[in-house]
Amino acid sequence: MDWKAKIIQSLESEIIVLNKALETAKVAQREAPSAMESASNTTRSEMERMVTALEIDIDTIKKNIKIMENYKPKYHKVTNNGKTLKIVLVPGGIGGKKIDDVMLVSESSPIGKKLLV
């Protein structure tokens, strides 16, 4: 199984979702009353922060995709107390997600460091 392609596809799917949220936040930001129109309504400034956060998240995922293009993920099956865990080791910052029944684990995590040995 080509885990690199699956992980990149998963990251690209995240970007699609975040781009939709970004467009929604931008519309809400434009349509929200300004401080001059309503001193007590903070919707516009909240949406500005949301837009910035979404843009940062999208940039981070794009960087992770570039990292994955030059990386070979390592698949492991770990059995513990009769339960089998399926794990794919990935670079730091990409772990913590799940694709199907396989957990993406960062090489820099405690589990990742043990599996690298």
Side-chain angles (χ1 to χ4, degrees):
M1 183 170 294
D2 186 9
W3 281 104
K4 181 191 289 193
K6 276 192 132 180
I7 294 166
I8 290 173
Q9 181 182 13
S10 173
L11 292 170
E12 288 170 344
S13 296
E14 284 183 50
I15 289 176
I16 290 168
V17 170
L18 289 175
N19 275 326
K20 288 179 184 175
L22 178 62
E23 290 308 311
T24 302
K26 284 182 178 180
V27 168
Q29 176 189 4
R30 279 192 304 269
E31 294 176 356
S34 69
M36 298 299 283
E37 296 170 327
S38 173
S40 62
N41 190 336
T42 59
T43 306
R44 183 172 290 223
S45 64
E46 290 170 12
M47 287 300 113
E48 286 172 5
R49 287 191 297 275
M50 176 68 77
V51 166
T52 301
L54 289 168
E55 289 171 341
I56 290 169
D57 288 348
I58 290 168
D59 286 342
T60 301
I61 294 172
K62 286 179 180 178
K63 288 175 187 171
N64 287 340
I65 289 172
K66 287 200 180 297
I67 290 168
M68 281 304 302
E69 288 172 353
N70 300 316
Y71 181 84
K72 185 175 183 205
K74 297 154 194 85
Y75 178 82
H76 296 273
K77 275 189 181 181
V78 179
T79 304
N80 186 17
N81 295 331
K83 289 187 176 182
T84 301
L85 300 172
K86 298 174 186 173
I87 295 173
V88 172
L89 290 180
V90 294
I94 300 175
K97 298 169 181 57
K98 213 171 186 182
I99 298 176
D100 301 327
D101 62 340
V102 179
M103 180 62 83
L104 303 182
V105 176
S106 171
E107 286 183 345
S108 59
S109 71
I111 294 172
K113 288 177 184 176
K114 292 236 183 224
L115 291 174
L116 276 176
V117 174

